[in-house]
Amino acid sequence: QLHLQESGPGPVKPSQTLSLTCTVSGGSRTSEGYYWSWVRQRPGEGLEWIGYIYYSGDTYYNPSLKSRLSISVDTFKSQFSLKLNSVTAADTAVYYCATYYDINNYYRYFDSWGQGTLVTVSS
Amino acid sequence: DIQMTQSPSSLSASVGDRVTITCRASQTISPFLNWYQQKSGKAPKLLIYLTSTLQSGVPSRFSGSGSGTDFTLTISNLQPDDFATYYCHQGYSLPQTFGQGTRVAIK
């Protein structure tokens, strides 16, 4: 079972860039079928898929965030990262990194999750 | 985007009860419907994938069914550890979307 851990610099001011890193351990970082994902949850709300990246570097973003979003991967460090720019209070949420399993266009589920990190956007 | 609608939004039940949660998609998504359990302050946990396949380690009192646009999560013989919020999720097409959640509370 993979272990994922989010890390980041803490609170972010409006209009600035939110940056988070997820460190993966306990398994292969380049296993076929695994997409390295970000999901967020605003306080008291449901889950929102942000986007994911394959180890090859192919990215898939939620259109609602695409213009502000960048996800990258560093397989040598077993890390992948999220950058969301021009943040507002609406971006305040718990951000989870997770693995999404999709092989041969089948399965398609999130099977491992980090513990989540609360990012507050406030001046 | 595919909209996922869960019902009810919340329910109260007693230990030993049978609980059913439904999830309706705005278009057909078979079989790419998954269920997650989330406890307060914790990350979601995969319970069921591909509509009805139990994730390894998940108790057999959890079951899933459905097809097309309508899906069900059933918890038979509700246990104290099952009081949590449950989310459905579609992996049929991007952007992936989740239901709004169903909170299962103690009666």
Side-chain angles (χ1 to χ4, degrees):
Chain A
Q1 186 82 13
L2 289 175
H3 179 75
L4 294 86
Q5 179 68 59
E6 305 88 353
S7 59
V12 183
K13 289 182 166 51
S15 80
Q16 292 189 341
T17 297
L18 182 162
S19 297
L20 294 172
T21 295
C22 182
T23 301
V24 182
S25 60
S28 172
R29 284 78 63 194
T30 58
S31 293
E32 183 181 1
Y34 281 98
Y35 293 72
W36 308 107
S37 311
W38 292 98
V39 176
R40 72 180 181 180
Q41 186 169 34
R42 294 187 178 98
E45 297 189 15
L47 300 162
E48 180 183 22
W49 174 69
I50 296 172
Y52 49 54
I53 187 167
Y54 201 45
Y55 71 89
S56 62
D58 292 339
T59 54
Y60 306 81
Y61 297 154
N62 192 321
S64 67
L65 297 168
K66 186 175 182 178
S67 64
R68 301 190 290 129
L69 182 61
S70 175
I71 297 176
S72 59
V73 64
D74 185 335
T75 55
F76 296 104
K77 291 184 178 179
S78 300
Q79 293 178 334
F80 61 106
S81 298
L82 163 76
K83 290 188 187 299
L84 184 66
N85 58 36
S86 305
V87 297
T88 70
D91 295 309
T92 293
V94 174
Y95 286 77
Y96 295 100
C97 59
T99 55
Y100 181 75
Y101 187 57
D102 178 355
I103 190 161
N104 296 327
N105 285 319
Y106 207 60
Y107 296 104
R108 303 188 189 177
Y109 52 75
F110 295 100
D111 63 345
S112 296
W113 297 70
Q115 65 185 25
T117 186
L118 175 63
V119 178
T120 302
V121 178
S122 173
S123 54
Chain B
D1 300 6
I2 297 176
Q3 306 303 314
M4 305 297 290
T5 304
Q6 287 181 234
S7 61
S9 297
S10 65
L11 64 89
S12 297
S14 301
V15 172
D17 283 353
R18 180 184 180 91
V19 167
T20 299
I21 299 169
T22 63
C23 179
R24 174 165 288 177
S26 59
Q27 67 182 73
T28 187
I29 59 169
S30 284
F32 301 109
L33 187 284
N34 310 308
W35 291 97
Y36 302 84
Q37 176 193 66
Q38 186 179 36
K39 296 183 179 178
S40 181
K42 301 294 186 183
K45 171 189 170 184
L46 177 67
L47 296 177
I48 289 170
Y49 61 93
L50 290 174
T51 300
S52 59
T53 303
L54 213 59
Q55 172 70 335
S56 176
V58 174
S60 59
R61 62 180 180 272
F62 291 92
S63 63
S65 63
S67 64
T69 61
D70 294 316
F71 301 87
T72 299
L73 172 70
T74 299
I75 313 171
S76 59
N77 188 19
L78 194 70
Q79 295 299 298
D81 191 49
D82 302 337
F83 293 97
T85 300
Y86 294 85
Y87 292 93
C88 61
H89 157 244
Q90 66 84 14
Y92 181 83
S93 67
L94 296 181
Q96 301 188 29
T97 47
F98 294 83
Q100 81 278 16
T102 296
R103 180 172 175 263
V104 176
I106 301 173
K107 182 181 286 185

